[in-house]
Amino acid sequence: MKYFVVLLPMKDEEKSKAFRNDHLNYLEQKGKEGKIFAKGRFTDGTGGMVIYRASSFEEAEKLAKEDPYVVTGARGYEIHEWEMVSNAVLPN
């Protein structure tokens, strides 16, 4: 399984607010399917990021394009395959 970072830059803030619940429900479902490694919003309001687990770029792109934020034009998307070198160890 490979990792793909999907950046979701803000295109339309009003649409983003309107389709937030649909987006979160979509991510919750994909998480239950084991397709999401990590996700979150950018605190400066410029969008967010999802790291998908997928077998190919094409599968990751399909996941990104099915996100309600992308479908409705609230957000754009940009995909990069990501190679995790190691897990960070945080001090207690």
Side-chain angles (χ1 to χ4, degrees):
M1 197 61 62
K2 299 176 181 180
Y3 295 94
F4 295 88
V5 174
V6 176
L7 301 173
L8 297 166
M10 184 72 67
K11 289 176 70 178
D12 186 317
E13 198 168 331
E14 289 305 312
K15 281 185 181 179
S16 189
K17 289 177 186 175
F19 293 100
R20 179 175 167 74
N21 285 335
D22 293 338
H23 165 73
L24 293 176
N25 289 337
Y26 177 77
L27 294 183
E28 182 178 340
Q29 180 59 43
K30 295 304 161 192
K32 288 178 182 176
E33 294 172 13
K35 297 291 183 185
I36 294 181
F37 176 74
K39 62 187 186 297
R41 67 182 186 87
F42 298 136
T43 59
D44 63 2
T46 60
M49 180 182 83
V50 179
I51 301 177
Y52 286 107
R53 296 178 61 212
S55 59
S56 66
F57 182 91
E58 292 77 19
E59 180 185 0
E61 185 172 43
K62 182 178 185 300
L63 291 165
K65 285 182 172 182
E66 291 175 350
D67 184 326
Y69 270 171
V70 175
V71 170
T72 62
R75 306 279 179 96
Y77 73 92
E78 182 180 325
I79 303 173
H80 299 274
E81 186 173 349
W82 179 61
E83 183 178 320
M84 182 171 45
V85 178
S86 66
N87 290 330
V89 178
L90 302 175
N92 293 332

